[in-house]
Amino acid sequence: MTAADQLGATGPRRAWDLALTIALLIVLGLVTVLLFFMTALLTMSCGGGSCSSSTNVTGFSIAFYGPIVLFVVATVLAIVWLVRRRLAFWIPLAGLVLAVGCYVLGGAIVTAS
């Protein structure tokens, strides 16, 4: 009995799902790094300490930590779903949409205040 069978794996392994999930996780990782640097540029736009209010700190935190946390969660979930032989390609896609959404939300909070 393999480890996948012990974890309740059902169905055949789908090679296309594995390849697509890995490719989308790489894209998600690259987008996460891009959003990291874009958030750093967003914080540099605050000249003279004008971004020290709690609203701005909240916006920066959402834009900075949100994509990183979503990348880690999406990677772990995708691996678990792949081991259990379930369709997993949608997990990095959802993580990608949510990561960009976190950045947009954080940026909106910063620019609104």
Side-chain angles (χ1 to χ4, degrees), residues 11-31:
R13 177 164 310 277
R14 297 173 186 95
W16 66 269
D17 182 44
L18 177 65
L20 186 59
T21 302
I22 291 170
L24 288 172
L25 282 172
I26 292 169
V27 169
L28 179 58
L30 293 173
V31 169

Side-chain angles (χ1 to χ4, degrees), residues 7-97:
L7 290 174
T10 58
R13 177 164 310 277
R14 297 173 186 95
W16 66 269
D17 182 44
L18 177 65
L20 186 59
T21 302
I22 291 170
L24 288 172
L25 282 172
I26 292 169
V27 169
L28 179 58
L30 293 173
V31 169
T32 301
V33 170
L34 176 70
L35 293 177
F36 171 81
F37 286 113
M38 288 175 61
T39 304
L41 291 175
L42 186 65
T43 59
M44 287 181 196
S45 68
C46 297
S50 63
C51 292
S52 60
S53 72
S54 64
T55 306
N56 286 337
V57 171
T58 301
F60 288 135
S61 296
I62 291 171
F64 182 76
Y65 294 114
I68 295 169
V69 169
L70 287 167
F71 172 70
V72 171
V73 169
T75 301
V76 170
L77 283 176
I79 290 169
V80 169
W81 280 55
L82 285 171
V83 168
R84 292 186 178 186
R85 295 184 184 158
R86 295 182 181 175
L87 283 179
F89 74 91
W90 64 270
I91 296 172
L93 279 177
L96 182 65
V97 170

Side-chain angles (χ1 to χ4, degrees), residues 97-112:
V97 170
L98 291 173
V100 171
C102 278
Y103 178 78
V104 169
L105 176 66
I109 290 171
V110 169
T111 57

